[in-house]
Amino acid sequence: MSKENLEAWQKAPVKIVSEAINHARKKSEEDNLIAFLLLDVGAEMLLKTYLGLPKKITGSTTSEDERYTIIRKGFHDVVEGVKSSRQGISLKDLARVEFFHGIRNKLYHQGNGLTVQRIHLEEYISVIKVLFKQLLKVDLDKQLSNTSLTKEQAERISQIKEEINNYLSLAKTKIKELELACELIIEEVAPNFLFPSFVKKFNSLLEQACSEEGYTYEGDIVITYKRLPYCTEKRMEIVSRFEELITPLVNKSPYFDMLYRQVEVGNKHQIDAISSQLGIKSIDVERQKVPHILSVIFNDFFDLDVFYKNIVEMVVFNDLYFISRLNYMFFECKDIYPQRHDESDLEYWESTLVLFTSQNAELDNYIARMNSWLESTTKS
C-alpha cells in the first residue's frame, strides 16, 4: 500500500509513528526520548483504532459493543481486548508493547533525568511495525521509504538491484555445485549413507522423532508443523535410535573416530543469551555428550541434507561453522533483510550488494576447499 492509498483510519497512527521514527534517526538522547514517547502514543492509537473498526474490516471475533467498551478503558485492558478479538496475533509482541508502556509510564511520571535505552527504542519500533501489518495492514517500511531520491541515486539503486539479481542467480548455481560436492564427500566417507534404503530408513526415523507440534506465523496465518521434542531425555532417545541405524554403516570408515568423537550438545549462544539477560556471568547447564555425527539432533531443525553437511563440516572444515554460515545465506529476494528505519534507500541497497558479493565469495571458498579435499583424497 503506497502513501497515497492509506485509508482514513490508518493515517493518524502512521503519522505519529513516522514522526517517532524520524526522531529516532537523529540518535540524540533527547530525540530518543521524544521518539519513545511518540511510539507509545502511536501504539495505543494503533490498538484502539483496530478495536474501533467494523468487524468486516478487521475480522474481529468479539462484538462491536464489547470492543467500544474496552476502548474507554486503560492500556492493559486495550491490549487484552486486542488479544481476545484477534486470532493469530503475536502474544509475545503484545507483551512487549505492555513492557514498553511500563517504561513510558516511568518516563512520564518520574520527570526529567531519565533516558531511554537505545535497544528498547529499536525493539519498540520493530514490534510496532509488526503490529501495524497484522492489525491495520500497513507496511511501515514502505511508508517510511525515502521517496526524495535524486536521479543519480535512483539509477544507482536500479543498477544495484540488477546486480543483486545476478548474484542471486549465481548463488543458486553455486549452492547446487556445493551440494554435489557434499554428496561426493559422503561417497568417500560413508557411501552407504547415499543408498536409497538408508535414505528411506533415515527419513522414517526422522518422521517418528518429530512427535510434537510447533507453530509459526506467516503474515496473519498460523502455520503448524511437526518438530523434535524439547525434552533432553527424549532427544537422547532419538540419538540412540539413529545410532542403531548409522553405526553399522560407518564403523569401517577411515573417518569413524572423527565422526564418533564425543561432543557436548546444546546451544552455547542460547546459554550465553540467557546469562546476559539474567545478568549472571555463567550459567551451569547440564550438557549431554553424543557422537559428533549425531549432534545435529540437538539443533532446532535437521534433515538428511543437514546430516550430510554436518559430516562435511567435520571432515573438511574441521568444525568451522560451515552449516551455520550456510543457514544465514540468501537465495531468494524475499529473504533479504528488511531495511532499517535509520537507513536510507541507497545505503540499504549498497549494503545488501556488499552482502551478496561476500556471500558468493564465501560459497566459492567452500566449493574450492571441498574440491581440494576430494582431489587429495582420491589421489591417496
Side-chain angles (χ1 to χ4, degrees), residues 94-113:
L94 289 176
R96 285 172 173 167
V97 169
E98 286 199 89
F99 169 74
F100 293 129
H101 183 70
I103 294 176
R104 172 264 181 199
N105 285 340
K106 290 180 182 178
L107 294 168
Y108 188 78
H109 294 296
Q110 294 183 21
N112 295 328

Side-chain angles (χ1 to χ4, degrees), residues 43-141:
E44 186 167 3
M45 184 176 288
L46 162 66
L47 300 178
K48 287 185 174 181
T49 298
Y50 169 78
L51 290 173
L53 290 172
K55 181 178 180 179
K56 63 182 180 181
I57 294 176
T58 63
S60 174
T61 57
T62 53
S63 68
E64 288 189 7
D65 287 343
E66 184 179 347
R67 284 183 280 116
Y68 288 152
T69 301
I70 292 170
I71 288 173
R72 301 186 188 96
K73 295 184 178 181
F75 193 88
H76 174 74
D77 292 305
V78 169
V79 172
E80 290 299 315
V82 172
K83 284 182 187 177
S84 60
S85 64
R86 172 72 176 184
Q87 291 183 341
I89 191 73
S90 171
L91 300 184
K92 186 176 181 181
D93 285 335
L94 289 176
R96 285 172 173 167
V97 169
E98 286 199 89
F99 169 74
F100 293 129
H101 183 70
I103 294 176
R104 172 264 181 199
N105 285 340
K106 290 180 182 178
L107 294 168
Y108 188 78
H109 294 296
Q110 294 183 21
N112 295 328
L114 293 177
T115 58
V116 175
Q117 291 186 40
R118 184 73 192 183
I119 190 171
H120 286 160
L121 177 59
E122 297 280 356
E123 188 174 353
Y124 207 176
I125 290 171
S126 297
V127 169
I128 286 180
K129 285 182 178 181
V130 171
L131 291 175
F132 259 100
K133 280 186 179 180
Q134 291 183 329
L135 299 177
L136 296 189
K137 311 296 185 188
V138 174
D139 188 331
L140 273 181
D141 286 322

Side-chain angles (χ1 to χ4, degrees), residues 144-161 163-164 339-340 342-354:
L144 295 165
S145 63
N146 184 359
T147 56
S148 58
L149 293 170
T150 65
K151 181 182 178 182
E152 291 76 14
Q153 288 174 328
E155 288 175 351
R156 176 57 183 151
I157 289 173
S158 178
Q159 180 187 2
I160 289 173
K161 287 181 178 179
E163 290 181 51
I164 286 173
Q339 185 173 347
R340 297 197 319 268
D342 59 347
E343 192 175 32
S344 72
D345 288 3
L346 184 57
E347 287 172 336
Y348 169 70
W349 287 109
E350 284 180 337
S351 64
T352 303
L353 179 61
V354 170

Side-chain angles (χ1 to χ4, degrees), residues 69-297:
T69 301
I70 292 170
I71 288 173
R72 301 186 188 96
K73 295 184 178 181
F75 193 88
H76 174 74
D77 292 305
V78 169
V79 172
E80 290 299 315
V82 172
K83 284 182 187 177
S84 60
S85 64
R86 172 72 176 184
Q87 291 183 341
I89 191 73
S90 171
L91 300 184
K92 186 176 181 181
D93 285 335
L94 289 176
R96 285 172 173 167
V97 169
E98 286 199 89
F99 169 74
F100 293 129
H101 183 70
I103 294 176
R104 172 264 181 199
N105 285 340
K106 290 180 182 178
L107 294 168
Y108 188 78
H109 294 296
Q110 294 183 21
N112 295 328
L114 293 177
T115 58
V116 175
Q117 291 186 40
R118 184 73 192 183
I119 190 171
H120 286 160
L121 177 59
E122 297 280 356
E123 188 174 353
Y124 207 176
I125 290 171
S126 297
V127 169
I128 286 180
K129 285 182 178 181
V130 171
L131 291 175
F132 259 100
K133 280 186 179 180
Q134 291 183 329
L135 299 177
L136 296 189
K137 311 296 185 188
V138 174
D139 188 331
L140 273 181
D141 286 322
K142 288 184 179 179
Q143 296 298 320
L144 295 165
S145 63
N146 184 359
T147 56
S148 58
L149 293 170
T150 65
K151 181 182 178 182
E152 291 76 14
Q153 288 174 328
E155 288 175 351
R156 176 57 183 151
I157 289 173
S158 178
Q159 180 187 2
I160 289 173
K161 287 181 178 179
E162 186 175 344
E163 290 181 51
I164 286 173
N165 284 330
N166 291 336
Y167 275 119
L168 278 171
S169 178
L170 190 58
K172 290 175 184 177
T173 302
K174 291 179 187 295
I175 199 66
K176 288 180 181 178
E177 187 178 348
L178 183 143
E179 287 168 352
L180 175 60
C182 276
E183 291 190 5
L184 292 172
I185 291 167
I186 299 301
E187 190 175 305
E188 292 293 329
V189 174
N192 289 340
F193 288 167
L194 297 173
F195 290 177
S197 57
F198 172 80
V199 172
K200 182 179 179 180
K201 290 175 183 176
F202 184 98
N203 287 330
S204 176
L205 274 181
L206 181 58
E207 186 177 351
Q208 294 171 33
C210 295
S211 58
E212 296 184 2
E213 279 205 346
Y215 68 92
T216 186
Y217 293 97
E218 285 189 8
D220 297 332
I221 303 171
V222 179
I223 306 295
T224 59
Y225 61 93
K226 290 291 186 180
R227 61 166 175 79
L228 295 168
Y230 287 124
C231 174
T232 300
E233 189 175 321
K234 290 182 179 178
R235 291 274 181 123
M236 290 301 292
E237 290 173 4
I238 294 168
V239 169
S240 297
R241 289 184 221 134
F242 275 94
E243 197 168 2
E244 288 177 9
L245 170 66
I246 288 166
T247 304
L249 302 179
V250 76
N251 57 6
K252 293 184 180 179
S253 169
Y255 301 93
F256 179 84
D257 290 342
M258 181 185 296
L259 300 177
Y260 270 73
R261 176 171 60 89
Q262 295 290 300
V263 295
E264 288 186 335
V265 289
N267 191 327
K268 180 180 183 300
H269 298 295
Q270 185 179 29
I271 293 168
D272 289 344
I274 294 172
S275 172
S276 174
Q277 184 73 19
L278 296 177
I280 301 171
K281 288 187 177 180
S282 62
I283 294 179
D284 291 328
V285 177
E286 184 181 354
R287 307 287 291 276
Q288 302 292 327
K289 286 191 174 183
V290 301
H292 202 340
I293 192 173
L294 294 173
S295 61
V296 290
I297 293 174

